[in-house]
Amino acid sequence: MGRHSAAPVHHQPVASDRPRSRRGFVIGIISGAVVIVLLAVAGVAWGTGALRGILPAPADALGCSKPTQLRVVADPAIAPALEKSAQSFDAVTPCVTTTVSAQKSAETASIVASGNDPKADVWVPDSPGWQARIAATAKSLGRATPKAFFGVNVATTPMIFAAPAKQASSLAAAKPAWPSIYGGTVNALLPDPVNNGASLLALSVLKANAPASNPLAFDAAMIAVGKVIPADATAAFADAEKASTPTVVLTTEQAVFAHNESEKSSDQQFFAVYPSSGTVLDSYPYVRLAGVTSGNAAKDRLLNSLERAFVTDTKHMGQYGFRSGIGTGSLKATGVLASYTDMISPDLSSQVDLLHAWSTITMRSRMLAVVDVSGSMNEDAGGGMTRIGIFQQAAMGAVSMFSPQAELGIWIFSTNQNGSTPYKEMTPIAPIGDPQHQQAIASIIGALPSYVQGDTGLYDTVLAAVKDVQKDFIPGMVNSVLVITDGKNDNPGGGLSLQDLLAQLKTVENPDKPVEVIMIGFGPDTDLAAMGQIANATDGGVYTATRPQDLGNVLVDALSQRSCRPNCLIH
């Protein structure tokens, strides 16, 4: 019986079948390790920018043909720190490319509120207060509230008083606090709160520290701070350095850090003076523009990871002058404290109303002041002063309340001033900041007693003044007539009656050129009923004054109630 066997199979040896030498095995391990190290080094170098253009991005190096794009738009103050952080994130995160664009928070807010595409997945603004502001803006545009979800804070920075180097020692020794703004011991500049979230936060702190005994104190503080409104912290620093009196900028610690990093001359640097009563943190929140979820689960996971990366990246945040999202961390830089912990909780609940109040009270004025110089203005007003004397004492202080960009003109009125015309132009309406015009105003006020004579041609003067302001009306300014009088209309030569005046005011009324009339009565003889009708006809206001300081209070109240007339609540 024969033995059967299967036919032989001819097998060509392959590399895996060949015997390996020890040397070959070691080379294989080293080669694999080199590949891994190269990938790792390439990732890190890519993250720092060292090998861009030489090696592919980590996503490409790992064979990712279409990495997920994460787009971040951030306030210019924090954008450089986020860009560094994003590079580090991309270096260790597979298949993702993160871009960071710098854009002013106010510009992004406008885009979001109007329903336009911000071309970003994440927004990091300079304050969480923008949440209420974009909602209010969207509502005013008849749009739904944006879906933007305000999450955790990526970074923070304390609100401080920034003092020029040459003034820092004296200001720090005075230990200024937020109430110091009210006491007049600190002259302050505030970058425009309309465009700077930190400035609006500063206003909310100022309001919280207003003296309860004076309901007009906060409005007066806004007028004082709003005389000069720098566009941003950089402009405010320049103004503070040029100021003739010691001046601080209400801004953030990070703004001081950034200024000093760019300005190496010690004479040009600023120092952060931390309010002795404590301060608040300005926060930079992580905002998901599509809402809590984007509708893409994979992308949402990456956005979650990016949020954690930003929040935990205290290294890069510190390099650009920021504290952590909860206010901790240490800084090493000229002009700021290494650490600071004396924080108070900010109130963000009424920032929209606060911004409206600021915009109303700081809107530039174009005013014609019409001063009664009839004979009765020489009568005794008590305390050894005449009525015209009371006005004189208060007038220059009142003028100093206005911004240099405000415009003011002065007329006087009584029946014997200008022939049969009961009023006379003393100086036309012009910017208060013009030195020659400022000197003219001071000279006119100083000479007022020499013009006192005659009777009170009130009604004809009011109509002429309204027409004059309306003739050269300037849009974007509050055009008004301010009438100071101690009596009732008394014009022996005839002239308008009250009903004639009201009818004429109705005839010349122009909704595109509104001119409000503010009436201030000095003394017990004023016809408040008639003055009230004139004020109501022009959406103005009527007030009484008996002391020099009353004029300043009246102007504060009149400025603060511009937007509510004729239905304002009386302080």
Side-chain angles (χ1 to χ4, degrees), residues 151-441:
V152 299
N153 296 324
V154 168
T156 59
T157 180
M159 297 298 304
I160 50 85
F161 301 156
K166 59 186 177 182
Q167 303 168 6
S169 296
S170 59
L171 284 167
K175 297 182 178 180
W178 293 103
S180 304
I181 305 296
Y182 294 99
T185 56
V186 174
N187 186 37
L189 291 170
L190 183 69
D192 191 356
V194 174
N195 298 317
N196 298 275
S199 296
L200 191 54
L201 180 60
L203 278 183
S204 69
V205 181
L206 271 180
K207 185 176 184 180
N209 283 273
S213 59
N214 182 359
L216 293 175
F218 178 62
D219 291 338
M222 285 198 291
I223 292 173
V225 173
K227 285 176 64 176
V228 176
I229 307 176
D232 51 30
T234 299
F237 288 152
D239 289 342
E241 285 185 313
K242 294 182 295 185
S244 57
T245 56
T247 300
V248 299
V249 179
L250 305 183
T251 186
T252 65
E253 179 186 68
Q254 192 277 333
V256 172
F257 180 100
H259 174 83
N260 291 348
E261 284 292 300
S262 63
E263 181 56 74
K264 297 302 182 182
S265 171
S266 59
D267 291 341
Q268 304 299 317
Q269 292 188 333
F270 274 68
F271 285 79
V273 180
Y274 297 79
S276 59
S277 55
T279 193
V280 297
L281 284 173
D282 181 33
S283 306
Y284 286 68
Y286 186 91
V287 183
R288 299 176 192 236
L289 290 169
V292 178
T293 62
S294 66
N296 182 326
K299 188 171 187 177
D300 286 341
R301 286 193 293 271
L302 287 171
L303 290 173
N304 290 341
S305 298
L306 181 63
E307 181 180 50
R308 286 192 295 271
F310 283 171
V311 169
T312 57
D313 189 3
T314 54
K315 174 186 174 183
H316 287 123
M317 299 305 159
Q319 288 175 352
Y320 288 89
F322 288 97
R323 310 280 182 177
S324 75
I326 57 173
T328 58
S330 180
L331 299 180
K332 294 181 180 179
T334 302
V336 300
L337 292 178
S339 59
Y340 183 77
T341 57
D342 194 8
M343 305 295 180
I344 54 180
S345 299
D347 178 13
L348 304 177
S349 61
S350 59
Q351 288 205 345
V352 172
D353 292 338
L354 196 57
L355 184 64
H356 178 69
W358 166 266
S359 298
T360 297
I361 211 165
T362 58
M363 190 174 183
R364 298 314 184 205
S365 296
R366 181 175 177 269
M367 178 181 289
L368 177 58
V370 182
V371 184
D372 185 349
V373 289
S374 61
S376 58
M377 288 291 282
N378 260 339
E379 292 185 9
D380 180 48
M385 295 187 70
T386 62
R387 294 171 184 174
I388 195 68
I390 288 179
F391 174 74
Q392 274 185 296
Q393 189 174 13
M396 284 311 298
V399 170
S400 69
M401 293 169 56
F402 289 97
S403 160
Q405 288 79 41
E407 299 188 2
L408 178 67
I410 298 178
W411 285 10
I412 57 175
F413 73 99
S414 72
T415 54
N416 294 330
Q417 288 303 324
N418 195 17
S420 60
T421 303
Y423 51 85
K424 180 179 181 180
E425 179 183 271
M426 303 302 290
T427 185
I429 300 174
I432 294 175
D434 180 340
Q436 289 185 328
H437 187 56
Q438 206 171 68
Q439 182 57 48
I441 291 171

Side-chain angles (χ1 to χ4, degrees), residues 524-546:
D525 301 324
T526 53
D527 187 350
L528 290 178
M531 291 167 64
Q533 291 185 65
I534 296 169
N536 288 338
T538 61
D539 287 342
V542 60
Y543 301 88
T544 58
T546 58

Side-chain angles (χ1 to χ4, degrees), residues 10-34:
H10 299 283
H11 180 70
Q12 294 294 327
V14 295
S16 58
D17 295 326
R18 295 184 185 127
R20 289 188 180 181
S21 68
R22 177 82 178 169
R23 179 174 175 274
F25 179 69
V26 171
I27 290 175
I29 293 177
I30 292 174
S31 299
V34 168

